[in-house]
Amino acid sequence: MACINNNFWVCDAKKSDVDAIDDILRSSLPDPLSKAMVVNELLSPLSRNLLLKVKETDSGEIIAGYLNYWVIVDEVHIQNLAVRKDMRRQGIASCLMSEMLVRTREEGVRRTTLEVRPSNNAALALYEKMGFKKAGVRRGYYADTKEDALILWAEMD
Ligand SMILES: CC(C)(COP(=O)(O)OP(=O)(O)OC[C@H]1O[C@@H](n2cnc3c(N)ncnc32)[C@H](O)[C@@H]1OP(=O)(O)O)[C@@H](O)C(=O)NCCC(=O)NCCS
């Protein structure tokens, strides 16, 4: 894939990555998964957990982004996506999403869906760029603010 090179690559998350995932989720989302929930995602047969890692000259590698999605028959349900604040607008979320699309096409997936806050302009712009379309609203979906969720779908053709 064009976005992956020797300094920038995607791999499956492991239990030893939970603390780094937790840091990204807590600094990115108003209602993040707990560490125990992240562990459950790593153990669930439905769930896939991708990391984007970046090579650092001094300190080895850092985890820059996390994408968690479920594969349900021929659909992907995106659950969590977050990129480290200091590494945004470098194509990391796009790279994770593209890798997810490549992997799930191989599994026979036809469609992808997710929920997003209408106030989340960055995520909405990303999803729109990736071909997602608004298909509905879940009223009061977010427990913290009672904000509605927009339901987006993308066809994988
Ligand atoms: C949304 C998020 C995952 C995007 O990650 P990212 O790595 O910065 O995204 P990318 O660099 O791949 O951006 C791809 C495109 O999305 C759009 N986009 C991303 N961030 C944007 C922003 N802050 N404002 C406007 N458009 C934005 C742009 O079209 C961008 O392309 P461009 O940089 O060429 O203009 C990141 O901002 C984040 O972690 N936010 C907090 C967590 C979150 O909201 N997760 C999604 C929950 S549904």
Side-chain angles (χ1 to χ4, degrees):
M1 276 179 51
C3 63
I4 295 176
N5 55 47
N6 285 341
N7 298 315
F8 203 77
W9 66 97
V10 176
C11 61
D12 292 302
K14 303 186 300 293
K15 211 158 169 205
S16 56
D17 298 316
V18 167
D19 286 345
I21 294 170
D22 183 61
D23 283 347
I24 296 177
L25 292 176
R26 280 177 185 281
S27 60
S28 297
L29 294 165
D31 190 17
L33 297 182
S34 65
K35 279 193 195 180
M37 290 159 96
V38 174
V39 172
N40 283 342
E41 290 303 320
L42 297 182
L43 296 174
S44 162
L46 277 186
S47 183
R48 311 285 189 272
N49 295 268
L50 301 184
L51 301 178
L52 191 138
K53 291 190 175 179
V54 177
K55 196 170 185 177
E56 289 272 282
T57 34
D58 298 334
S59 55
E61 61 191 38
I62 56 168
I63 294 174
Y66 171 62
L67 173 61
N68 159 231
Y69 58 93
W70 296 349
V71 179
I72 303 173
V73 192
D74 61 351
E75 292 177 357
V76 165
H77 293 234
I78 293 178
Q79 302 296 315
N80 290 280
L81 170 65
V83 171
R84 268 176 64 130
K85 274 192 174 155
D86 58 345
M87 302 194 77
R88 292 183 186 163
R89 298 305 287 266
Q90 297 180 44
I92 288 170
S94 305
C95 186
L96 282 163
M97 296 279 288
S98 300
E99 178 68 12
M100 179 270 291
L101 290 170
V102 169
R103 291 184 181 208
T104 55
R105 265 199 205 106
E106 287 165 4
E107 291 189 67
V109 165
R110 314 295 304 167
R111 310 200 302 156
T112 304
T113 188
L114 56 87
E115 283 96 13
V116 59
R117 294 175 196 252
S119 58
N120 192 342
N121 294 324
L124 277 167
L126 166 73
Y127 298 139
E128 190 177 328
K129 197 168 183 180
M130 303 225 45
F132 284 81
K133 305 265 186 267
K134 289 175 197 159
V137 174
R138 291 194 210 288
R139 297 278 169 217
Y141 178 78
Y142 292 101
D144 57 339
T145 56
K146 306 281 182 284
E147 195 175 355
D148 295 344
L150 297 177
I151 304 166
L152 308 190
W153 280 93
E155 300 295 324
M156 319 259 285
D157 44 26

